[in-house]
Amino acid sequence: MSQSVRREPSGEGSTATETTSSPRVRSSASVWVARTNVLAHNVTMVADRLGIQPRSALRYIEPSAVADQIAKASAVDTDGAHTVYGVRPVRVDDRMVFMSRWVCSRPLMALAQAVKYASSNGDSRTVQHATDLIFEIVLAIGTDSASDSAGLPLGLLDEAAGIIEQVAGRIETEGWRVCPCGEEHGQTETDDRVPEVLRGDAELIRKIRAKGDA
């Protein structure tokens, strides 16, 4: 189940993000869309302002405006966006790339590391998304036990590389750490080496993904 996002205006700025259930949200190469709640909020708001029935207000709602609201409120660099844990990109490219099963261990380990850092630093959105990708990779590996290869969607690889690089960046720019004790025991040096390793994993994932375009 995905999440839609509602961000209400307040003067020239905007207020806290509210998440509500929505059947579908899309991003990546396409635009963000959602079918319920965000749309319903806009319809109700227009109906109240114009003094008309909601069914009549629907004609005044621009789909692109609703998509823009979701995209803006869900953007990674938006304050509070990390709490919008259910937003997922809908994959419009259904191509697959096949790789040896053992190669799948690299994205699995990198995503597990991303989950560890995100969970230790209160980013539930990244935790949920990365965990979903881990499950999806494991499912692909176990689909045909007799095969030496596993097929992964190109969209999954795009999402995995993006999340891994995002976590690497936040370790560097926001000082993400995995040990909360506050004592000096070499963890800082360990954390400082992690971004380079994660970016190497993301680069490998993108090289594998590029085979799908060949």
Side-chain angles (χ1 to χ4, degrees):
M1 179 68 72
S2 295
Q3 294 281 325
S4 60
V5 180
R6 185 170 73 200
R7 184 171 287 273
E8 300 182 3
S10 175
E12 297 181 358
S14 56
T15 60
T17 302
E18 176 184 342
T19 61
T20 48
S21 296
S22 173
R24 191 169 80 162
V25 178
R26 172 187 292 178
S27 70
S28 197
S30 53
V31 241
W32 291 88
V33 296
R35 296 195 308 188
T36 63
N37 297 310
V38 176
L39 176 60
H41 169 68
N42 279 272
V43 168
T44 301
M45 184 174 63
V46 170
D48 290 343
R49 288 180 177 177
L50 299 181
I52 58 179
Q53 292 295 318
R55 63 176 177 272
S56 300
L58 184 60
R59 72 184 68 179
Y60 298 104
I61 305 298
E62 290 288 339
S64 60
V66 177
D68 287 344
Q69 287 177 336
I70 298 171
K72 183 177 180 180
S74 305
V76 174
D77 57 353
T78 299
D79 184 32
H82 65 281
T83 63
V84 189
Y85 62 87
V87 173
R88 294 291 184 276
V90 171
R91 299 169 192 158
V92 294
D93 188 342
D94 60 358
R95 290 177 297 166
M96 307 277 284
V97 62
F98 289 85
M99 67 189 79
S100 299
R101 289 174 180 274
W102 66 267
V103 176
C104 294
S105 63
R106 285 287 294 276
L108 281 174
M109 289 187 294
L111 286 168
Q113 190 79 301
V115 169
K116 186 176 180 180
Y117 274 90
S119 62
S120 298
N121 292 273
D123 187 347
S124 60
R125 176 177 174 178
T126 297
V127 170
Q128 293 286 336
H129 194 175
T131 302
D132 286 347
L133 296 180
I134 290 172
F135 285 145
E136 193 170 352
I137 294 172
V138 171
L139 181 62
I141 294 173
T143 298
D144 183 2
S145 59
S147 174
D148 293 329
S149 64
L152 298 179
L154 298 188
L156 183 155
L157 297 173
D158 286 334
E159 293 170 40
I163 285 179
I164 292 165
E165 286 193 334
Q166 174 191 321
V167 170
R170 298 186 76 173
I171 293 172
E172 291 177 331
T173 61
E174 299 181 26
W176 274 15
R177 299 289 182 259
V178 291
C179 182
C181 74
E183 298 180 4
E184 183 55 49
H185 50 75
Q187 184 62 44
T188 299
E189 290 76 8
T190 300
D191 291 329
D192 289 343
R193 292 193 295 268
V194 169
E196 182 179 358
V197 176
L198 289 179
R199 289 196 173 96
D201 291 331
E203 180 62 23
L204 173 63
I205 292 171
R206 288 204 165 95
K207 287 180 179 178
I208 294 171
R209 187 250 185 263
K211 294 180 180 179
D213 294 325

